[in-house]
């Protein structure tokens, strides 16, 4: 609905109110009122219907157009107008939402009840048949207004924009993932199963402490230098430690990772890594 | 806490808000600092006031919204900034806004309840759009046949519309029930009569009587 | 051109640069204004100098880059701002855990030997990650063509897993019994993955794997 007011009242129409907004714009021309002969350009009616959010919205529009108070609706007048529109729509064979027909029936019922003389005029229990309709119209009108209020709130992407600035070089501070030992073992189990190593591979038999010591010896031997054999041992580790170191040394020799040199019989033994890093 | 120190916290907060490009809560801002240098909540709140003042006269402002503090373009400059973007700001249909209004003011509310008030069916598209925009979410199901979903608004809704809470929504206009209106009309008539009475009438009623 | 007018252009330019989130050229900034109010190039250049000065002491600064001007968080505040982007720690890939386990049980061991057992190549990323974490180190080079590095676990590795020595690792024969707990862990991990599903993965050579 545009706010544009117009004087293009259709001749012959009796309920034209002086200042009213057009029902629809067809090819730029406002269609103000539905002529009595129901000749309406079909496009206009379609646009007209789409402009409303349902029967309550249409009723509110009709009430406004008649400058009626929502609390004091002239039911027969509103019903007549409502039916005119509905009739026009049906005549044009537009599909009409069921809600509009339900409202038509409701209006007709209210109208008929209002025509009946009330049985006892002083009866307090007598309820205005319009009451329920008025209640619904009021309720709807509140939220129609609320929707407009929400639309008027300042909002992102229209009235304001979130701002951001580019980042400078950032220190990489990726935290390390946590690992559960069992998780690692589970992974290992997977490999072993895949490689079918449970039965055949020698991985299983080796003492881990020996392999650990092998790594320790190798890293102690980093660089192209000889170390004395004795320096590989730590007395404080006791007999078991000596044995582990000895086994590790043997394994390293076997795997050709270190070389052992003795210049003379009973002379000092020296070791060094074979491939110098 | 000297001024230099506060200015530094203010600059870091500003830098972080600009880097984030979205609201940060007071605690999120405080957590940027290591434990030893972390400002107390009150200090941080004070710093936010300082920052807000420091943005005066600039292109952006500090705004408190539901999720925290946000730096945003001053509304006065939105028309110029808007030209940066090809797309015109999206307009929302009345049907969508009415549905949103009902969810905002009546939450938690089912689709059926919305339809009762609007008098028309609410299209699934509208609900989907609202959910996708994360303005509303399902907060439960009503314990009636069909167990319909109940909708409520989200923090993102508040953020988007520049609010810190639902209490900042424009007040819903009052519905005056018929009885109340009846009483009002009666009162008005009463007042009118009272106003007219001393002038026009001079019948023999006792002057003390105020009720007519 | 009075000062007030310049300040206004400056504020609009600032707002636009912050809203754009990318560099804007002098002309792009000028085009935000309608033809009647569009500042001359020289004026706009002057405004940028003003803006640059106005950013002193703040969390951000004006930078001139190839494609124009950009507002950028000050480098000095990167350590604080960086905490915003600290990702939740990701999970290690299964490939990485397998490699780590093989280094632990088979040390000193070369990449080729690990590949022999795993039956697939070991990506350089995995080795790098393990070295960076200081869980493994190079303890020498095998005296074969290519002189491949031999890897072994470190003290940090033992510390992390609360062991005083590798002999505290369960013997391989027991690894088999892990199947029971294994299934349980896998279930938990699966659930976690599903929960944080878009977790990035960059060091796993087999994309079909679901475990990270």
């Amino acid at each position: 609905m545009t706010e544009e007011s117009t004087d293009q009242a259709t001749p012959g129409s009796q309920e034209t109110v002086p200042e009213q907004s057009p029902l629809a714009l067809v090819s730029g021309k406002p269609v103000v009122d539905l002529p009595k002969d129901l000749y309406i350009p079909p496009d206009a009616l379609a646009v007209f219907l789409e402009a409303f959010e349902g029967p309550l919205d249409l009723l509110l529009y009709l009430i406004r157009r008649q400058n009626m108070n929502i609390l004091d609706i002239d039911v027969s007048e509103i019903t007549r107008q409502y039916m005119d529109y509905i009739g026009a729509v049906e005549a044009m064979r537009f599909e009409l939402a069921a809600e509009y027909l339900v409202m038509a029936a409701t209006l007709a019922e209210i109208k008929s009840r209002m025509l009946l003389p009330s049985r006892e005029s002083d009866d307090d229990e007598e309820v205005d048949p319009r009451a329920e309709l008025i209640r619904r119209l009021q309720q709807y009108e509140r939220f129609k207004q609320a929707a407009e209020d929400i639309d008027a709130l300042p909002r992102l992407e229209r009235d304001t924009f979130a701002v951001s600035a580019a980042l400078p070089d950032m220190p990489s501070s990726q935290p390390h993932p946590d690992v559960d030992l069992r998780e690692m073992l589970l992974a290992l189990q997977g490999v072993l199963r895949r490689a079918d190593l449970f039965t055949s591979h020698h991985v299983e038999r080796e003492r881990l402490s020996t392999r650990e010591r092998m790594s320790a010896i190798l890293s102690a031997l980093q660089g192209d230098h000889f170390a004395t054999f004795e320096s590989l041992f730590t007395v404080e580790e006791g007999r078991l430690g000596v044995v582990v170191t000895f086994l590790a040394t043997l394994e390293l020799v076997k795997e050709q990772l270190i070389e052992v040199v003795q210049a003379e019989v009973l002379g000092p033994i020296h070791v060094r890594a074979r491939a110098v890093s | 806490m000297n001024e230099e120190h506060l200015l530094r916290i203010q600059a870091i907060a500003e830098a972080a808000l600009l880097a984030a490009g979205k609201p940060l809560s007071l605690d999120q801002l405080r957590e940027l600092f290591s434990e030893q240098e972390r400002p107390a909540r009150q200090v941080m709140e004070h710093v936010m006031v300082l920052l807000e003042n420091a943005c005066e006269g600039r292109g952006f402002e500090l705004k408190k919204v539901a999720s925290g503090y946000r730096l945003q373009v001053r509304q006065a400059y939105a028309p110029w900034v808007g030209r940066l973007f090809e797309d015109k700001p999206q307009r929302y249909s009345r049907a969508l806004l009415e549905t949103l209004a009902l969810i905002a003011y009546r939450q938690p509310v089912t689709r059926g309840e919305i339809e009762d008030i609007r008098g028309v069916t609410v299209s699934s598209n509208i609900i989907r759009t609202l959910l996708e925009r994360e303005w509303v979410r399902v907060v439960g199901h009503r314990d009636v046949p069909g167990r319909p979903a109940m909708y409520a608004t989200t923090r993102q809704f508040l953020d988007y519309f520049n609010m810190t809470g639902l209490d900042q929504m424009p007040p819903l206009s009052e519905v005056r029930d018929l009885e109340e209106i009846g009483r009002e009309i009666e009162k008005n008539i009463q007042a009118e009569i009272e106003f007219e009475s001393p002038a026009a009438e001079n019948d023999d009623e006792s002057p003390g009587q105020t009720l007519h």
Side-chain angles (χ1 to χ4, degrees), chain A residues 116-131:
Chain A
L116 291 173
S118 35
R119 286 159 301 175
E120 287 161 36
S121 52
D122 289 335
D123 192 348
D124 286 339
E125 297 300 303
E126 186 78 16
V127 183
D128 187 335
R130 299 172 305 172

Side-chain angles (χ1 to χ4, degrees), chain A:
Chain A
M1 285 290 117
T2 63
E3 289 298 313
E4 210 178 319
S5 73
T6 172
D7 291 323
Q8 257 193 301
T10 320
S13 103
Q14 288 150 4
E15 78 262 24
T16 313
V17 236
E19 278 193 358
Q20 71 183 63
S21 29
L23 297 176
L25 284 173
V26 180
S27 322
K29 281 182 153 181
V31 174
V32 178
D33 207 356
L34 291 168
K36 277 284 169 269
D37 58 6
L38 285 186
Y39 176 76
I40 310 169
D43 292 348
L45 206 55
V47 175
F48 173 76
L49 259 192
E50 275 168 20
F52 292 102
E53 291 297 328
L56 291 171
D57 199 22
L58 173 56
L59 274 181
L60 274 181
Y61 166 79
L62 295 175
I63 291 165
R64 290 271 157 68
R65 208 164 61 112
Q66 294 295 311
N67 279 332
M68 277 184 202
N69 185 332
I70 194 173
L71 299 171
D72 194 22
I73 303 171
D74 178 347
V75 175
S76 46
E77 180 57 21
I78 288 303
T79 305
R80 193 181 59 75
Q81 289 189 27
Y82 188 90
M83 294 306 188
D84 279 352
Y85 289 119
I86 299 303
V89 170
E90 285 192 316
M92 301 313 300
R93 299 206 176 121
F94 282 125
E95 200 160 320
L96 194 64
E99 294 98 350
Y100 284 91
L101 297 176
V102 172
M103 179 58 73
T106 308
L107 285 171
E109 195 212 337
I110 296 172
K111 188 177 166 185
S112 61
R113 280 176 58 191
M114 293 199 63
L115 290 174
L116 291 173
S118 35
R119 286 159 301 175
E120 287 161 36
S121 52
D122 289 335
D123 192 348
D124 286 339
E125 297 300 303
E126 186 78 16
V127 183
D128 187 335
R130 299 172 305 172
E132 171 62 13
L133 179 65
I134 289 171
R135 192 194 60 78
R136 290 188 65 196
L137 282 168
Q138 281 181 311
Q139 196 67 269
Y140 173 70
E141 196 182 29
R142 293 171 83 199
F143 288 100
K144 189 180 158 169
Q145 181 60 45
E148 283 169 27
D149 291 345
I150 286 179
D151 200 27
L153 287 172
R155 64 174 187 239
L156 282 181
E157 294 164 335
R158 187 187 70 185
D159 308 301
T160 183
F161 301 86
V163 298
S164 62
L167 297 178
D169 289 336
M170 285 296 192
S172 77
S173 54
Q174 192 81 316
H176 292 303
D178 290 326
V179 176
D180 188 314
L181 180 62
R182 292 182 305 174
E183 229 178 294
M184 189 177 75
L185 294 174
L186 183 73
L188 179 65
Q189 189 198 23
V191 197
L192 295 179
R193 203 186 305 126
R194 271 208 322 274
D196 193 25
L197 291 175
F198 272 112
T199 50
S200 60
H201 206 279
H202 60 287
V203 166
E204 195 170 1
R205 288 196 308 275
E206 265 153 9
R207 299 267 324 209
L208 270 174
S209 49
T210 309
R211 298 221 66 98
E212 185 176 32
R213 187 57 52 94
M214 286 164 68
S215 300
I217 292 171
L218 270 176
S219 69
L221 294 179
Q222 298 257 359
D224 184 17
H225 69 272
F226 280 101
T228 61
F229 187 55
E230 292 84 349
S231 70
L232 300 179
F233 295 88
T234 312
V235 181
E236 289 75 28
E237 288 185 338
R239 185 177 294 192
L240 189 64
V242 172
V243 171
V244 170
T245 304
F246 189 66
L247 287 173
T249 314
L250 289 182
E251 188 65 32
L252 286 168
V253 172
K254 193 180 109 199
E255 289 190 25
Q256 298 190 331
L257 291 171
I258 60 171
E259 52 185 322
V260 181
V261 179
Q262 189 174 31
E264 47 184 322
V265 180
L266 296 181
I269 300 171
H270 286 92
V271 291
R272 77 164 175 185
R274 282 184 72 113
V276 177
S277 47

Side-chain angles (χ1 to χ4, degrees), chain B residues 7-8 10-12 14-20 24 28 31-34 37 51 54-55 57-60 73-74 76-77 79-81 83-85:
Chain B
L7 274 176
R8 186 179 159 77
Q10 181 192 316
I12 290 174
E14 181 175 58
L17 287 168
L18 286 174
L24 294 177
Q28 280 174 310
E31 273 157 26
L32 299 175
F33 299 86
S34 69
E37 53 170 13
L51 179 56
C55 292
R58 306 203 62 126
F60 61 103
V73 168
R74 265 180 207 286
Y77 301 130
W80 286 268
V81 173
R83 293 197 193 130
L84 279 177
F85 310 105

Side-chain angles (χ1 to χ4, degrees), chain B:
Chain B
M1 184 90 32
N2 59 28
E3 200 186 335
E4 199 186 320
H5 192 105
L6 286 174
L7 274 176
R8 186 179 159 77
I9 301 175
Q10 181 192 316
I12 290 174
E14 181 175 58
L17 287 168
L18 286 174
K22 59 173 192 187
L24 294 177
S25 71
L26 208 63
D27 283 336
Q28 280 174 310
L29 287 166
R30 290 175 60 236
E31 273 157 26
L32 299 175
F33 299 86
S34 69
E35 261 177 75
Q36 302 95 291
E37 53 170 13
R38 186 165 302 155
R41 284 193 68 107
Q42 277 167 308
V43 174
M44 204 70 214
E45 265 166 17
H46 178 54
V47 166
M48 296 325 278
V49 176
L50 295 178
L51 179 56
E52 187 178 353
N53 295 337
C55 292
E56 228 147 88
R58 306 203 62 126
F60 61 103
E61 62 184 344
L62 184 72
K63 182 84 191 174
K64 198 165 183 329
V65 293
S67 315
Y69 295 89
R70 179 172 68 201
L71 289 174
Q72 62 184 41
V73 168
R74 265 180 207 286
Q75 207 171 327
Y77 301 130
W80 286 268
V81 173
R83 293 197 193 130
L84 279 177
F85 310 105
E86 295 262 309
D87 301 331
K88 288 222 183 87
Q90 192 173 351
R91 296 197 56 191
Y92 294 98
S93 67
R94 270 179 59 199
L96 182 137
L97 289 166
E98 285 179 14
T99 306
L100 180 60
L102 275 157
I103 296 174
Y105 286 98
R106 276 293 168 85
Q107 59 189 298
V109 67
T110 66
R111 190 155 149 180
E113 288 158 358
I114 298 169
E115 290 173 345
D116 281 347
I117 295 181
R118 291 194 59 230
V120 279
T121 26
V122 172
S123 88
S124 300
N125 266 335
I126 287 179
I127 298 285
R128 194 166 51 237
T129 304
L130 290 173
L131 287 170
E132 273 169 9
R133 296 235 54 171
E134 295 187 329
W135 286 351
V136 312
R137 68 199 163 111
V138 174
V139 289
H141 294 263
R142 209 175 274 299
D143 201 11
V144 294
R147 297 183 33 77
M150 288 186 294
Y151 298 95
T153 52
T154 63
R155 237 177 25 192
Q156 286 90 327
F157 161 75
L158 295 170
D159 288 348
Y160 195 86
F161 288 95
N162 276 280
M163 293 181 282
T164 54
L166 281 174
D167 52 346
Q168 293 192 337
M169 295 273 296
L172 194 55
S173 57
E174 296 275 315
V175 157
R176 302 174 303 162
D177 62 68
L178 282 176
E179 268 173 57
E180 189 193 325
I181 289 157
R183 274 197 297 274
E184 208 167 287
I185 294 173
E186 221 160 292
K187 222 166 62 192
N188 288 345
I189 296 170
Q190 200 75 43
E192 252 176 80
I193 293 170
E194 264 170 37
F195 183 73
E196 288 171 6
S197 77
E201 279 156 55
N202 54 0
D203 42 351
D204 51 356
E205 271 176 35
S206 60
Q209 225 169 330
T210 47
L211 274 175
H212 296 247

